[in-house]
Amino acid sequence: AQSVTQLGSHVSVSEGALVLLRCNYSSSVPPYLFWYVQYPNQGLQLLLKYTTGATLVKGINGFEAEFKKSETSFHLTKPSAHMSDAAEYFCAVSDSDNNDMRFGAGTRLTVKP
Amino acid sequence: ETGVTQSPTHLIKTRGQQVTLRCSSQSGHNTVSWYQQALGQGPQFIFQYYREEENGRGNFPPRFSGLQFPNYSSELNVNALELDDSALYLCASNKGQKNYNEQFFGPGTRLTVL
C-alpha cells in the first residue's frame, strides 16, 4: 500500500523567504500525488496535483512541486512566503488501483514578519 | 455553485452511543469520500461512495458505515462510539469514480466522545 512521509512537522520562514515543504512517498504503482492546504477550522483545499505528464506542477497561490521518481519525492516550494501562507500543509498519494488516498501527518508553516 | 456542506458542525457523544454525520456534495459531483482527522494528524480515508455504491474502504472497523443517496448526499454512521473516535470528520466530493479527480472538502464535523 502507498504511504507518505512529510519531513518536518513545523517549518518557520520569514516573509519573503523561500518555502520548502518536503514529501516522500512510497507506492508500488505509478502514484498520483497531491498537496493540500488547511486553514484553521476549515476543510482541505487542493494546491496542486501530479497525475501524469510534466513533472513540474504549478498550483494556486504561487506554489509548485516537482515529481522526482528517482528520489520518490514531491516537495512543495514557493519562492517568496506571504503571511497568508501560514497554515497546515498535507501531502497525499493515491494510485489507479484503488481510491484509498493516504495523507501525510502534515507540516505546519509559520511565516514571521 | 454550492460547495460541500456538512452537519452538524460540532457534536458531543458518550462512549457506546451511535452518531450520524451528514454531507451534501458539491453540485454535479457523484462521488463522496469520508475521512477521519485526529488532532495533529493527517486525514485517514474511511470509505468512498460512487453512485450510491461503496467504492473503496480504508482500514476502519465495520461499526463505521455509510450511505449515499440518489442526490449524492451522504451519511457516515458510527456505532458503539469509543473515546478514540473523537476527531474531525471530513467529507469530500468529486466528479467521477477516481479520487485523482480534484476532491472538494467540506469544513468538517468535530466529534467529541466522552
Side-chain angles (χ1 to χ4, degrees), chain A residues 55-77:
Chain A
T55 56
L56 182 61
V57 181
K58 295 187 183 299
I60 62 171
N61 302 338
F63 285 94
E64 62 182 37
E66 187 170 11
F67 169 58
K68 292 188 177 181
K69 184 178 179 180
S70 61
E71 298 177 8
T72 61
S73 69
F74 191 57
H75 301 330
L76 181 71
T77 60

Side-chain angles (χ1 to χ4, degrees), chain B residues 23-77:
Chain B
C23 171
S24 291
S25 59
Q26 185 160 315
S27 177
H29 290 184
N30 51 16
T31 300
V32 171
S33 301
W34 285 93
Y35 295 86
Q36 181 195 67
Q37 186 178 17
L39 199 61
Q41 296 183 25
Q44 288 193 49
F45 176 69
I46 303 175
F47 44 58
Q48 180 183 86
Y49 280 84
Y50 170 67
R51 294 186 174 180
E52 303 178 60
E53 297 286 333
E54 188 175 289
N55 188 45
R57 189 179 182 92
N59 189 28
F60 279 80
R63 60 189 185 84
F64 285 78
S65 63
L67 283 173
Q68 187 178 32
F69 299 100
N71 67 354
Y72 303 128
S73 66
S74 178
E75 285 182 355
L76 164 65
N77 298 292

